[in-house]
Amino acid sequence: GLSGPLINVYPLDLGATEAQQATISSLRSLPASFKLAFGFLSDNLPIGGYRRKSYMFIGWLVTSLSMFVLLMGSNLSLERHEEFDEETQQMITVTVPDEDSPSVGFFSSCVLLFGPG
């Protein structure tokens, strides 16, 4: 989906380790493993007389709220800084997240709530 590039690139810009990057990828696929259980749940416990629509609406609501919290609760911009690399004796441009950017844990929880995208 459209969230693929964001999920693959942005955590590395936040300074995520490879283990954290793998965890984020695993969290992204976790909701898909519960499809069978949610299918049985929606078939046996209809909400408001609807078997699927009400659960789809709840899923869209949770997704929208998690993305809204990510959007409003953090600064997703990246800053560029010039640094001198002593090994190569050259100026290099380093991209770093802003001070109030989301943490890797917060980003992971929003990805989990967002689902498989």
Side-chain angles (χ1 to χ4, degrees):
L2 295 174
S3 63
L6 176 69
I7 291 171
N8 293 332
V9 174
Y10 193 69
L12 291 176
D13 287 335
L14 288 175
T17 64
E18 292 297 324
Q20 289 171 328
Q21 182 74 11
T23 302
I24 291 171
S25 296
S26 298
L27 284 176
R28 184 173 183 223
S29 63
L30 186 64
S33 64
F34 295 115
K35 281 195 272 189
L36 187 62
F38 283 121
F40 284 127
L41 179 72
S42 67
D43 285 343
N44 294 318
L45 295 171
I47 298 175
Y50 295 103
R51 293 177 187 240
R52 306 273 182 204
K53 289 181 183 178
S54 55
Y55 285 95
M56 288 172 51
F57 180 75
I58 291 169
W60 291 333
L61 184 66
V62 168
T63 298
S64 299
L65 289 175
S66 67
M67 290 295 115
F68 182 75
V69 166
L70 182 61
L71 176 68
M72 299 307 286
S74 60
N75 182 1
L76 299 177
S77 65
L78 298 173
E79 297 178 357
R80 294 177 185 223
H81 295 286
E82 295 281 332
E83 292 182 1
F84 184 73
D85 186 13
E86 296 195 18
E87 289 182 17
T88 62
Q89 300 294 322
Q90 295 179 2
M91 293 296 287
I92 57 171
T93 302
V94 178
T95 305
V96 295
D98 198 55
E99 289 180 10
D100 58 346
S101 63
S103 66
V104 174
F106 178 72
F107 185 75
S108 298
S109 64
C110 286
V111 168
L112 175 64
L113 290 175
F114 187 58

